Amino acid sequence: MQPSSVIALGFFDGVHLGHMALLRTVRQRADALGLPAVALSFDTHPDALVRRTAVPLLSTTAQRERLLRAEGHMDEVRFLHFDEEFMNMPWQAFLDEILIGQFGARHLVCGYDYRFGAGGAGTAELLAKACAERGLGCDIVDKVELDGITVSSSHIRRLLAAGDAAGAARFLGRPYCLTGRVVHGSALGRTMDTPTANLVPDPALLLPKRGVYITRARCAAGEFAAVTNVGTRPTVDGDGVRVEAWLLDYAGDLYNREIELDFYTYLRPEQKFGDLQALRDEIIKNADQARAYFIARAEREEL
């Protein structure tokens, strides 16, 4: 049996504003009890097995762990592998064998809509009752609303699918981030003096609506304003959806390196231009818009 702990329950995809409210409760309980705060999640989304439906995620496992530690102030982050055994485990067994038996739960915190166990039979209310019977503490955190809308990972996915990167950032509490490795492309951007990094994002991550975005890129060399296209490059008859970012004011080799792209706002839909010069002119215009955006943002933050 593990040492006693206060445990946050949830999948925590994106670690959005609703999750942060739950994590604050966990941190407060842990500090009051003098116990470690532990976030417990799964390595894959349960719906991928339960509903046989792939869920486009807002964060990789590594991103979730980093956010849960850095922003949620969790002492530990543990990921369980969701498989057939977990899917068919009665909720009482999950509580007694896993939460108490393996993780030494002294106090549990979950969201108002938390469900667990075979068939989702376990609810937040049942968990609270069972904890009381076992002498454990339990907090159920109510929903968090923004503009009258409940903050949820599914709502954020809908915003990104519609291209509303700015709206998604408000519900996340930070811009949506794609991570991936840079690979060689056609080098067309270099011929137009608009060199792009061709990012191969984690296939589990959600791709925002096709179009051009103002983004910020982070890499080993630092942070740079960027213009990013998500799409098929119709002007040059591209095939397949790509993520291509032009890091403004950066000159260097990014091939085979990891970068992160924060999506701030949607500029325009992807379109087919009459020739490469027209495409280049539009990209230059978008770069000017990105620079102006970050200058204005910095000025607002100084007020």
Side-chain angles (χ1 to χ4, degrees):
M1 180 174 175
Q2 294 287 330
S4 297
S5 57
V6 178
I7 300 178
L9 298 171
F11 189 72
F12 303 112
D13 189 24
V15 192
H16 53 59
L17 295 180
H19 297 141
M20 291 302 296
L22 187 153
L23 296 170
R24 283 193 295 273
T25 299
V26 174
R27 184 70 266 169
Q28 290 166 1
R29 289 292 189 184
D31 290 343
L33 294 170
L35 297 174
V38 178
L40 184 62
S41 184
F42 290 107
D43 57 355
T44 56
H45 200 290
D47 281 355
L49 186 60
V50 175
R51 300 182 181 179
R52 309 291 177 179
T53 302
V55 178
L57 299 179
L58 301 173
S59 53
T60 63
T61 301
Q63 284 176 306
R64 272 192 289 154
E65 179 169 4
R66 185 171 68 249
L67 290 167
L68 286 166
R69 288 182 182 275
E71 298 189 14
H73 304 293
M74 295 293 99
D75 298 309
E76 296 180 41
V77 178
R78 304 290 293 272
F79 292 101
L80 300 173
H81 178 57
F82 191 83
D83 53 17
E84 294 278 352
E85 181 180 358
F86 265 112
M87 183 174 69
N88 295 312
M89 181 180 289
W91 69 266
Q92 298 94 332
F94 181 72
L95 171 60
D96 292 327
E97 297 174 17
I98 306 300
L99 298 180
I100 299 175
Q102 289 189 26
F103 292 95
R106 173 90 70 82
H107 195 104
L108 297 172
V109 182
C110 68
Y112 70 100
D113 58 349
Y114 182 68
R115 301 191 77 90
F116 64 109
T123 64
E125 290 74 17
L126 287 173
L127 178 64
K129 181 180 179 182
C131 283
E133 294 169 350
R134 290 161 173 78
L136 305 178
C138 183
D139 287 307
I140 300 175
V141 179
D142 200 3
K143 63 183 177 181
V144 174
E145 292 188 344
L146 188 61
D147 301 331
I149 300 171
T150 300
V151 178
S152 68
S153 298
S154 57
H155 180 67
I156 294 167
R157 293 187 191 104
R158 287 192 291 270
L159 291 173
L160 289 167
D164 189 358
R170 292 185 64 238
F171 281 79
L172 279 167
R174 76 191 77 81
Y176 177 60
C177 179
L178 275 183
T179 64
R181 187 171 296 275
V182 177
V183 300
H184 286 277
S186 63
L188 178 64
R190 291 192 180 279
T191 68
M192 299 189 297
D193 296 322
T194 59
T196 58
N198 295 277
L199 182 72
V200 179
D202 188 299
L205 291 177
L206 181 150
L207 283 183
K209 176 184 176 180
R210 296 181 188 181
V212 178
Y213 294 82
I214 292 174
T215 59
R216 188 187 297 278
R218 290 190 299 278
C219 59
E223 296 190 6
F224 301 88
V227 173
T228 297
N229 183 74
V230 179
T232 59
R233 304 172 302 145
T235 303
V236 294
D237 298 321
D239 57 340
V241 177
R242 293 191 182 186
V243 179
E244 297 181 311
W246 178 21
L247 279 62
L248 308 182
D249 307 313
Y250 172 78
D253 184 3
L254 289 171
Y255 291 126
N256 209 33
R257 298 183 182 181
E258 294 285 335
I259 66 171
E260 298 179 327
L261 287 176
D262 288 341
F263 284 71
Y264 281 84
T265 192
Y266 184 80
L267 279 178
R268 62 175 175 84
E270 191 177 40
Q271 63 189 99
K272 185 170 184 176
F273 293 91
D275 53 42
L276 292 182
Q277 184 59 49
L279 172 60
R280 182 183 185 278
D281 291 344
E282 185 64 23
I283 294 173
I284 296 298
K285 173 186 173 182
N286 297 151
D288 291 340
Q289 291 173 309
R291 289 190 177 95
Y293 173 87
F294 285 114
I295 289 172
R297 186 181 181 91
E299 290 174 348
R300 289 196 301 271
E301 290 175 352
E302 289 178 357
L303 295 177

